[in-house]
Amino acid sequence: MRADARKNYDQLLAVASAVVTEEGADASLRDIARRAGVGLATLYRHFPTREALLETLLRTSFDELTTRADELETSSSPEEALVSWLRDCVACAHEYRGVVALMMAAIGDTESALHASCVTMRAAGTRLLTRAQAAGTARTDIDGTDLFALVGALAWLNDQPSLAPRADHLFGIVASTILTNRASGDVS
């Protein structure tokens, strides 16, 4: 990539991250291009679709979640690893308001730019859940799809002004429901 193209690409990503964090996944692509100081055609040259842009923004976070799951698998108890990863995953999904619907749709759409990243992230969580289930500390009647749905639901709570103040409390309730030996006040 030419130096000027790399500069435009990096600038677009930095601005897109800020704009999507502020305004959500439906932020205006025209506004992103304008704030980055490039034309809309330049944005589309680098990111032909909104999903392609979001996938680029999210891929790093999803890769970090996968790495985090690997680390937690070897450094924490199954129960602690699952709750810690679940909290990190919810925070990641909430960072870019409105992305939850895209993440959920991408799981079933192999053509989606977000598909591979979402499948990898779900697999990381599923490994932690399976490990906790094998240790007898997590319910056995849920699977990775259920866990991914709970991540989406918990992230959505943070996007609701009337529920956001209760999001941590509700996270504790959901986590204690997944775990077999904790009360909601015990989940940190």
Side-chain angles (χ1 to χ4, degrees), residues 11-135:
Q11 180 66 12
L12 279 165
L13 278 179
V15 168
S17 179
V19 171
V20 172
T21 298
E22 291 167 16
E23 300 176 19
D26 292 329
S28 164
L29 297 181
R30 184 176 306 280
D31 188 40
I32 291 170
R34 183 187 52 74
R35 286 174 60 176
V38 300
L40 193 56
T42 299
L43 182 141
Y44 281 120
R45 198 171 18 263
H46 290 290
F47 307 104
T49 65
R50 176 181 303 277
E51 270 195 346
L53 174 61
L54 290 171
E55 193 278 333
T56 302
L57 289 174
L58 293 170
R59 183 181 334 120
T60 300
S61 296
F62 288 176
D63 289 349
E64 288 170 0
L65 282 168
T66 300
T67 300
R68 176 93 168 115
D70 294 342
E71 292 166 357
L72 288 167
E73 213 167 357
T74 59
S75 68
S76 300
S77 72
E79 178 179 345
E80 291 169 356
L82 179 59
V83 171
S84 181
W85 184 87
L86 184 61
R87 188 173 297 284
D88 292 347
C89 194
V90 169
C92 174
H94 173 65
E95 181 179 356
Y96 297 118
R97 188 171 30 97
V99 78
V100 170
L102 293 172
M103 289 169 52
M104 297 314 236
I107 284 289
D109 181 3
T110 58
E111 300 300 312
S112 167
L114 292 169
H115 178 76
S117 295
C118 290
V119 168
T120 300
M121 182 179 66
R122 182 179 65 182
T126 300
R127 278 195 329 273
L128 294 176
L129 174 63
T130 301
R131 180 174 171 244
Q133 289 169 328

